[in-house]
Every structure is written in C-alpha cells, then in structure tokens.
Amino acid sequence: MTRPLDNSTNQLLDQSTTRQLGNSTILVVEDNKDLSFMICETLRSYIGCTVISAHNGEECLKIVKKEPPDVILLDIHMPKMDGFEVCTILKEDKQTKHIPIIFLTATASDLKSRIRGLEMGADDYIVQPVDNLEMITRVKVMLRIKQLIDRTGETGIAGSLLSAKTAHNLRSPLTSIIGMADLIQNQFYGALNEKQKEFARIISKSSQQLLKMINDLGTAKNQH
C-alpha cells in the first residue's frame, strides 16, 4: 500500500519538481504487481519522469543491461533472486555500479536488512507501506546525485575531471556534513531513536561516497 498526499503536499511537490528530473528514468522492481503499479503512478505524477517496472530480479537485470535507469527502487524480498543478490550483481558491474539503489523493506523494525543492504552498496531505503512524500523526496535526492555523477564524469567521459577549485568547493561542505553526522551518531547532542540513528548513518555513508568520488576525480586529473 501507499499513503496518499494531502492538497498542501501536492502543491509543494508540484512547485519543486524540475524539468531536469522529468528527463530521468526510474526502474521499480517489486513482485507485488498492485503495489508496483501504485508506486509507478505516483512517481510519474509527481516527478514527471519515465518509470518502468520489473517484477523479479532476473527481469530487472535484463532491463538494466539493455537500458540503464537513473535510479532503481528494489524490493528486498522476492522469489528466486532477492534484492540483495540483485544489488550485489549491479554494484559489482562497472557499467551499473553508479546507479543509485533504494531498497523497499517490509517493516520499519527490519533493521538488520536495512544495514545489510547499505553495506552491500545500496544508497537508501524506504519502508513499506510506502509514504508517498517520503518516497518522492528520497527518489529526488537520488536522481540529483545521479545527475552529479553523470556531470562529473564518474563514467570516465574525457574532459569531465574536476578542477582543483571545484573539488575544494565540493569537498569543504561534505567534510562538514560528515563531521556533524558523526557527532549525531555518537549522540553528542542527546539520545536518538532507532530511525534517527539510521538516518544519521545514511547521511554519513552518502556523504562519504560523494567525497570519495570527488577525491578519485581529483587524483585522476593529477595523473593526466
């Protein structure tokens, strides 16, 4: 199931949707066809992007190989090939490892699955039943990260390496974000509940991934 949006939220999302995101492609991998349909329709309506669906892991891999999407929403619990196995295959392939993956988890209490997914290379997670506002917000963040990856030449396009000044400008705020996330995780500002702890881990992990990309690009430029 998905949780509907109220009118005020609809207006907020309509105003924040950009044409750039509308050019993106999202792949939804969910074996429940009714849930898959609702997720796809919500993403089409509020982001305006192209949304395609797969109902099992094998179908997902075939689609990604033929036409890589910008973001993948991936159900963990599927027959034959589960989401963990699909994530591992995609993240080990140099052609697909930079596609952001958002796991769809069964319950909020399934902390072990969420942590396992993040350790395997997944970039985020969404708990079912899906909250539409949360899903759209998280998907937009991942789409913007994918756009940054594409623009900075993470795929190895010639002439796209970061200049030293650009790398510095990107590195400074990321370092601050990582530092603040560490303080939050260590409960420097007070105790956290489990969801807050998980959000802090995601912020830290995503920031560190971006920082590594920037450092790698800077290193590659120095070698040319």
Side-chain angles (χ1 to χ4, degrees):
M1 294 180 61
T2 61
R3 296 171 182 167
L5 303 172
D6 57 30
N7 290 333
S8 61
T9 303
N10 287 342
Q11 293 175 358
L12 176 62
L13 290 172
D14 288 341
Q15 292 171 357
S16 62
T17 299
T18 65
R19 292 180 180 178
Q20 289 80 4
L21 296 184
N23 294 328
S24 304
T25 299
I26 300 171
L27 172 60
V28 177
V29 188
E30 167 62 59
D31 63 330
N32 183 318
K33 293 185 178 181
D34 291 335
L35 178 57
S36 175
F37 175 80
M38 288 188 287
I39 292 174
C40 289
E41 287 302 300
T42 299
L43 294 172
R44 289 190 188 101
S45 297
Y46 294 102
I47 300 181
C49 57
T50 299
V51 184
I52 53 180
S53 63
H55 302 300
N56 56 64
E58 294 90 341
E59 187 180 359
C60 166
L61 294 176
K62 289 179 181 177
I63 291 173
V64 173
K65 184 176 181 180
K66 183 178 180 180
E67 188 175 352
D70 295 294
V71 170
I72 299 173
L73 272 67
L74 180 60
D75 186 19
I76 290 180
H77 303 292
M78 296 184 293
K80 296 183 180 179
M81 183 184 293
D82 65 19
F84 294 128
E85 186 175 353
V86 174
C87 180
T88 298
I89 292 172
L90 293 174
K91 292 300 181 180
E92 289 180 348
D93 188 331
K94 64 180 182 179
Q95 299 298 324
T96 59
K97 67 179 182 179
H98 301 302
I99 301 175
I101 294 176
I102 303 175
F103 266 136
L104 297 171
T105 64
T107 63
S109 60
D110 193 10
L111 183 59
K112 289 184 178 179
S113 291
R114 299 205 303 270
I115 293 176
R116 180 185 174 192
L118 293 171
E119 289 177 343
M120 295 174 71
D123 300 274
D124 204 349
Y125 74 91
I126 297 173
V127 175
Q128 300 184 45
V130 175
D131 180 276
N132 285 342
L133 176 58
E134 180 182 5
M135 176 179 67
I136 294 165
T137 301
R138 289 177 181 271
V139 169
K140 282 185 174 182
V141 169
M142 289 300 134
L143 286 173
R144 293 188 178 103
I145 289 175
K146 181 57 165 56
Q147 288 180 342
L148 175 61
I149 292 171
D150 291 342
R151 283 199 296 267
T152 55
E154 186 64 21
T155 55
I157 299 174
S160 61
L161 299 175
L162 291 179
S163 68
K165 182 177 180 180
T166 302
H168 174 76
N169 290 340
L170 290 171
R171 193 180 290 116
S172 295
L174 276 175
T175 302
S176 298
I177 292 170
I178 292 170
M180 291 301 296
D182 287 342
L183 288 175
I184 293 171
Q185 287 184 86
N186 292 325
Q187 304 188 45
F188 184 82
Y189 296 106
L192 304 176
N193 60 39
E194 287 303 312
K195 190 159 189 174
Q196 290 170 331
K197 290 178 183 177
E198 186 63 21
F199 283 158
R201 280 193 288 268
I202 291 170
I203 292 169
S204 179
K205 181 177 182 295
S206 298
S207 300
Q208 289 172 7
Q209 287 177 332
L210 285 175
L211 185 59
K212 183 178 184 302
M213 292 177 193
I214 293 167
N215 290 336
D216 288 347
L217 288 170
T219 300
K221 182 176 180 63
N222 291 335
Q223 292 174 350
H224 280 68

